[in-house]
Structures are given as structure tokens and as C-alpha cells.
Amino acid sequence: MSKRTRPRAAPTPARDKSTSGESIRDGFIRGLAAFIGGFSLLNLLGNLLRPGYDANIWWIDFRFLSTVVGNICLIAAAVLLPLYACLPNMSRWRKDLTVLMTIALTAVAAWNVIGFYRLLHRGEIQAGVPLPFSLLVLLSLLVLVPTMLAKPRKGRRRLEWFSIAVTVAVCLFVFPLAQMICFGKTDYRRRADAIVVLGARTYADGTPSDALADRVRTACRLYLDGLAPIVIMSGGPGDGPVHETEAMLKMAVSLGVPDKAIVLDPDGINTRATVRNTIAIFDRLKIQRAMVVSHFYHLPRIKMCYQQQTREVYTVPAKESYTLTRMPYYVTREIAALWKYYIEPLAGRFEY
């Protein structure tokens, strides 16, 4: 009598539906794509509204290529990346085009990283944090390609969209924070025609706050090292009768800067006012190149404001005597301020 043979189990069919973890991961990748593509789109609109202001330089620098090539890549990113984020099931031609565009952006970001380290190696910049922002852009773009090439799974749509929304929200916070750490802590000092130092709080008795003292000391050091013949001090009213610029002037003179080398801007009540007023001073004194001194978290917004007026400045972070106790508050406030200053030109909400 023959033994009964147990029937073989049928092979398990390939799973085409993603788990919760895979849905979250896919949503994260698509959220990155949505943020990068949406940011590119806003920047392109900004370029149309304010000709000459290249907002895309904040995440990727195409200036070593022709303007036409750069614009083609950015327009493709502005269209294809949000489309991939919303509709990940792509036709063959759309997938090829999206992957090719992402690889092109990755190559440009890699070249930006190389450029940063070349400047660092030549001593043209000093990096408080030796990691360029373009390295984060490069890693983000590298993450996109494998998921784009993979066969899309049937995901848990609500979970994926939740993951996309969370990723975009996190990017809105991390993007300016990374700018502050990577760009803000990089010292671009060089020979210039002037040094601009931005004000900070002055107490009722006329004493400069620690933040203001750090900025003035840094600016004076640049002057005394012979990097520029003029120091422009911009600020607003103090807590008492002593104006911020008066306290700055007094401190600078005590540190060895002659008062004839100092120009005061008493109407620098905020960053935009300082930029507007100092540009007028640049024009009056025929200043072509300027360095700007402030705290690291403030420098990305300052740089952006000057760029919005098609003026190039070189930022120098103030040397901090110690870490400010309210630093988390200042950084968080600056994140909101940076986005506010970024959006206003797109909405046509300010005039210089």
C-alpha cells in the first residue's frame, strides 16, 4: 500500500500591497519630492515677479552652467516632482524623464558640494560646521531615485498622504534650520569696501547686550585686520534714551576703530530696513563689496534680503563670547521670519 503524499503548498504569491512601514517610507520619499518640486516652482514664480533675483540658489546653484540649462532643469523639477508625489504610478516616458531630471539635479548638487570643499581647502572660507547645505540636498535627491525606479506598490493611501504631509511640514522647519547651521556658521570674510554690522538690544542704561557686543567686536576685528576701511552700524532705538547705534559707536571707538571710519544708520529698525538703508549708503559711497556681521541664525535672512535686491554681500558670523541662553527661541523665531521674508516678494507685499 503506497503512502499518501502530502500535496505541496502552493507558492505564496508576490505581495503587491505595502505594509504600514513601507507606506510611511513611500510617503516620506514622495513628501521630499513634493517639497523640492514645490519650492522650485515658488522660486521660478519669484524670478518672474522680481527679475534678477535667483531664489533657487538657496538650494541648488546652477551658475556654473548656462541659464537655459538651469531653467530647463528647474522647470522640469517644478512639474515632475510634485506630479510624482501626487501620482506615483508613472508611465514609462514620465518615469524615465523624472529619473533623468533627478539624476541631473543630483549631479549639480554634487558639483556644489565639491565647490564648497574646494573653497574650504583653499582657505577662502572658514566653516564652523564643515558640512555644506548642498550635501543635504544631494542626499535628499539620492534617496528619491531608487523609489522612483521601483515598481509602485498598492499602499495605504491615507497613511501615505499623512506621511507626505508630515514630511513637508518637517522640511519647512528643517530647511531654514539647516541653512542657519550650514550657511550661517560659515565665515566668508574677505577684503571689501565696507563692513555692515546689524544692531541688537541696548539696555536702558546704554549697555550693549551680549549679542550686540559680540557683533560689534567681530566687526571691529575685521576692520582692525585691514579687511575694510568703513564700518556701517545699523540699528534702532534702545530700551532707554541711548540708541543702539550710539552704543555701538561708543564700543567700537573703545576697541580702536576711529569714529571717522564709522557710518551710522539709526533707522535700521528691522532687517529689511537695514538692507534698504545700507544699499543707499553703498550707492552714495560707491561701495561695491561689503561684508555683513550678525549672529549665525540671522545671516541666511540677511543674505536673502540683499539678494532680493540683486546685491551680493559676504556674511561673517559674530564670534559668540558664550551661547546665548535664549538661543532656541531666537532660532525658532528666525525660522518663521525667514519664511515670511521669503514669501513676501512672491506676494508683492513689500517695496524697497
Side-chain angles (χ1 to χ4, degrees):
M1 186 174 179
S2 62
K3 294 182 179 179
R4 288 186 177 179
T5 57
R6 183 176 297 176
R8 290 184 180 181
T12 304
R15 179 174 53 83
D16 62 354
K17 187 170 183 178
S18 62
T19 64
S20 296
E22 289 168 337
S23 292
I24 292 173
R25 187 197 66 185
D26 290 349
F28 167 73
I29 300 298
R30 289 164 57 193
L32 272 180
F35 179 79
I36 294 172
F39 191 61
S40 300
L41 179 59
L42 282 176
N43 291 339
L44 289 170
L45 292 174
N47 293 346
L48 292 174
L49 293 172
R50 300 193 68 81
Y53 169 45
D54 183 7
N56 274 299
I57 200 173
W58 279 96
W59 73 279
I60 195 164
D61 188 355
F62 280 94
R63 287 181 296 182
F64 67 95
L65 295 172
S66 72
T67 304
V68 174
V69 172
N71 286 339
I72 289 173
C73 289
L74 291 170
I75 291 170
V79 173
L80 294 173
L81 288 179
L83 196 57
Y84 164 70
C86 297
L87 301 170
N89 293 311
M90 299 183 283
S91 63
R92 181 59 183 270
W93 71 267
R94 182 158 71 90
K95 175 185 283 192
D96 291 345
L97 196 56
T98 303
V99 170
L100 183 62
M101 176 274 305
T102 306
I103 291 173
L105 293 178
T106 303
V108 174
W111 185 254
N112 294 163
V113 172
I114 293 170
F116 173 87
Y117 285 111
R118 287 175 61 190
L119 291 173
L120 191 62
H121 177 71
R122 294 201 297 256
E124 295 183 31
I125 60 174
Q126 302 169 41
V129 176
L131 296 174
F133 182 79
S134 49
L135 180 60
L136 302 180
V137 173
L138 173 62
L139 295 175
S140 298
L141 292 168
L142 285 173
V143 165
L144 297 180
V145 176
T147 306
M148 289 176 176
L149 290 171
K151 181 180 179 181
R153 292 179 292 264
K154 294 179 181 178
R156 306 185 180 191
R157 293 179 61 83
R158 289 186 180 180
L159 189 57
E160 284 187 0
W161 280 105
F162 177 76
S163 180
I164 290 171
V166 169
T167 300
V168 171
V170 169
C171 286
L172 289 171
F173 181 84
V174 170
F175 179 85
L177 180 63
Q179 287 282 3
M180 293 176 204
I181 295 171
C182 298
F183 171 78
K185 285 185 171 287
T186 300
D187 189 329
Y188 292 89
R189 69 179 65 195
R190 61 202 60 209
R191 293 197 176 277
D193 302 315
I195 303 158
V196 177
V197 55
L198 279 83
R201 185 179 185 185
T202 298
Y203 298 119
D205 63 356
T207 304
S209 62
D210 293 326
L212 182 58
D214 287 343
R215 295 178 186 185
V216 173
R217 268 193 294 268
T218 302
C220 291
R221 185 72 267 162
L222 295 172
Y223 174 87
L224 295 173
D225 286 344
L227 293 178
I230 299 172
V231 180
I232 302 172
M233 297 180 165
S234 179
D239 290 353
V242 179
H243 197 278
E244 287 178 5
T245 55
E246 294 177 45
M248 296 163 78
L249 172 63
K250 182 178 179 181
M251 182 177 178
V253 170
S254 72
L255 291 173
V257 180
D259 56 3
K260 65 180 181 181
I262 298 173
V263 178
L264 299 184
D265 165 32
D267 298 318
I269 57 174
N270 56 41
T271 303
R272 235 186 250 297
T274 290
V275 170
R276 179 184 61 242
N277 298 342
T278 53
I279 286 177
I281 294 172
F282 294 168
D283 292 340
R284 188 175 78 244
L285 300 180
K286 303 296 187 288
I287 291 170
Q288 299 297 319
R289 175 185 284 188
M291 290 181 287
V292 181
V293 177
S294 190
H295 278 73
F296 75 94
Y297 54 82
H298 191 195
L299 291 176
R301 182 157 58 105
I302 295 170
K303 178 83 169 179
M304 180 176 65
C305 284
Y306 277 108
Q307 285 183 333
Q308 286 171 346
Q309 295 305 301
T310 65
R311 296 296 183 113
E312 194 65 42
V313 295
Y314 299 92
T315 54
V316 178
K319 185 177 181 181
E320 300 171 32
S321 51
Y322 67 92
T323 303
L324 300 175
T325 54
R326 300 186 70 193
M327 185 67 75
Y329 166 75
Y330 295 141
V331 170
T332 303
R333 183 184 66 177
E334 192 61 33
I335 288 173
L338 189 61
W339 281 119
K340 178 177 180 289
Y341 273 48
Y342 169 75
I343 291 295
E344 280 180 343
L346 303 182
R349 297 223 13 227
F350 76 90
E351 291 293 337
Y352 277 93

